[in-house]
Every structure is written in C-alpha cells, then in structure tokens.
Amino acid sequence: AQTVTQSQPEMSVQEAETVTLSCTYDTSESDYYLFWYKQPPSRQMILVIRQEAYKQQNATENRFSVNFQKAAKSFSLKISDSQLGDAAMYFCAYPPGGGADGLTFGKGTHLIIQP
Amino acid sequence: DGGITQSPKYLFRKEGQNVTLSCEQNLNHDAMYWYRQDPGQGLRLIYYSQIVNDFQKGDIAEGYSVSREKKESFPLTVTSAQKNPTAFYLCASSINGGNYGYTFGSGTRLTVV
C-alpha cells in the first residue's frame, strides 16, 4: 500500500524566515503527481503546490517551492519569507493510480509562525 | 463562483441515530470523495464516486453509506453502526482522475451527544 509520511508533527519559525516541511512517500509508479495542501484554522483545504514526477524542475508558487527528490521519494515544501497568514496545518498528498481512487494524505505538520 | 458546498457546518447527533451530511458541487466534476479527519490522523477516505450511480468503499467505509443519484450531489449518511462518529468530515471533487488536485468543501463538524 502506498504511504505518505510527514515526520514533523509541529514546526515553528520566526516571521520573515524560511522553513522547510518534510514529506516522504512510497510508490512503485513511475509517473505521478504530488501535492501540498494548507489547512488554516478555518479548516478549508487549500492547494498550495503541485509537482509532476516526470519533470526535473521543482515547482514554485510565489514564496512556496518544493525540493523533489524522485529517487529518494522525498517531497519537501519550502516557505520563504514566512508570514503570519502561513500558520496552518500542512498536508502532503499523493494520488495512487492517478488519483481517481482518492488521494493518500500524510498526517500533517502544524506550522507556527512566531511574530 | 464554482465550488463545493457542505451543509450543515455543525451537526449534533444523538447516539443511535442516523444523520446525513450534504455535499453539492457546481464544478461539473465527475468524481467526488468523502474524507474523515481526526486529530493527528490526517485525512482518511470513506467513500468515493467516479460516476453517477456508482461508488466505491474507501479505507474506513464501515458505518457509513452514500448515494450518487446526480452528478452534483454526493450525500454521506453516518449510521448508528459507526462506533465513533464524532469527527470533521470533508467532501471533495476532482476532474480528470485527480492529477490536478482535488477541490474541497469547507467541512462539517459532527458531534455525538
């Protein structure tokens, strides 16, 4: 069974600093996608960034970027210039078989931003 | 604006009662999903449907039932057989198998009293 592991239950960072959230996954597939979702206190799940496994280039969305290491099955999220609004739960997710049968989520990392 | 609407936001149920959570989408997505979220557990898949009048069990389907009579609607019933139903429930939909990610509703918090 495919699994997604987030080894950091909680992280804390000073405002304006950079923080990296870790994620590893297990799969036997060669072509797939990976996602990071943000869940703020409102509990609305928001897609932060998406990475295609066949692309060498790491995905970037403004202050959010990933470090994708396919061979190591690692997919970390880097948040630059952290802002108070970045405080949330962050979930890494993987779609086995293309995602039609559901996304598999990690247990999440609670990110705290210190002013 | 297109999106997913879940109702109600908060729901209280007495032990032994069935209760139905509503999920409606106007995104024209074929696939819809129900997830359960508990503290420290991430999101776990309950049921999903890729097409009208068809649905499949997810990882934790026991004690739950669903229907998919219309493309836009995917209600979830929490039955009295569900031993620990207090949780946060999220509905999602996707296009084209989910490789572009899922769109989520705002959730329903169910509490058994």
Side-chain angles (χ1 to χ4, degrees):
Chain A
Q2 283 84 1
T3 58
V4 178
T5 302
Q6 293 180 248
S7 60
Q8 306 150 317
E10 188 173 277
M11 294 280 287
S12 182
V13 64
Q14 291 288 129
E15 194 175 3
E17 297 295 310
T18 295
V19 63
T20 299
L21 309 183
S22 301
C23 174
T24 59
Y25 58 95
D26 181 29
T27 183
S28 58
E29 296 175 302
S30 58
D31 290 330
Y32 49 89
Y33 294 79
L34 292 160
F35 306 94
W36 276 99
Y37 278 88
K38 171 185 178 180
Q39 187 180 43
S42 68
R43 306 199 77 170
Q44 177 76 52
M45 293 286 285
I46 302 165
L47 179 62
V48 174
I49 201 164
R50 168 178 172 267
Q51 173 75 43
E52 299 172 75
Y54 66 87
K55 286 189 174 180
Q56 299 287 340
Q57 188 173 7
N58 289 323
T60 299
E61 289 286 343
N62 300 313
R63 297 182 295 106
F64 297 86
S65 62
V66 301
N67 182 7
F68 174 53
Q69 303 290 330
K70 189 174 183 180
K73 296 180 183 176
S74 171
F75 180 59
S76 61
L77 176 70
K78 186 172 81 170
I79 305 174
S80 304
D81 185 25
S82 298
Q83 300 175 1
L84 294 177
D86 295 333
M89 286 291 295
Y90 286 83
F91 294 95
C92 178
Y94 163 75
D101 299 336
L103 283 174
T104 298
F105 288 85
K107 293 188 177 183
T109 297
H110 181 212
L111 179 62
I112 298 168
I113 309 296
Q114 304 279 5
Chain B
D1 288 338
I4 298 181
T5 301
Q6 288 189 244
S7 61
K9 191 173 180 67
Y10 299 97
L11 189 56
F12 296 89
R13 190 196 90 173
K14 292 183 179 180
E15 286 194 25
Q17 286 183 337
N18 292 353
V19 64
T20 297
L21 283 60
S22 171
C23 178
E24 303 276 336
Q25 56 102 355
N26 60 3
L27 299 165
N28 200 33
H29 286 175
D30 288 315
M32 298 186 74
Y33 307 83
W34 274 106
Y35 284 89
R36 170 178 171 143
Q37 186 176 20
D38 296 283
Q41 292 293 324
L43 279 70
R44 293 181 290 168
L45 184 64
I46 305 172
Y47 266 100
Y48 63 100
S49 168
Q50 297 175 5
I51 196 169
V52 174
N53 293 322
D54 189 38
F55 48 83
Q56 287 77 39
K57 294 181 179 180
D59 301 319
I60 56 166
E62 185 175 351
Y64 300 97
S65 66
V66 293
S67 63
R68 187 85 186 278
E69 297 176 3
K70 299 186 299 182
K71 187 176 184 178
E72 301 79 16
S73 179
F74 191 42
L76 173 73
T77 296
V78 184
T79 74
S80 57
Q82 169 49 234
K83 300 302 181 188
N84 185 21
T86 294
F88 187 66
Y89 292 87
L90 282 160
C91 179
S93 69
S94 74
I95 190 169
N96 198 25
N99 281 333
Y100 291 91
Y102 289 9
T103 301
F104 283 85
S106 56
T108 293
R109 172 68 183 178
L110 173 63
T111 303
V112 173
V113 296

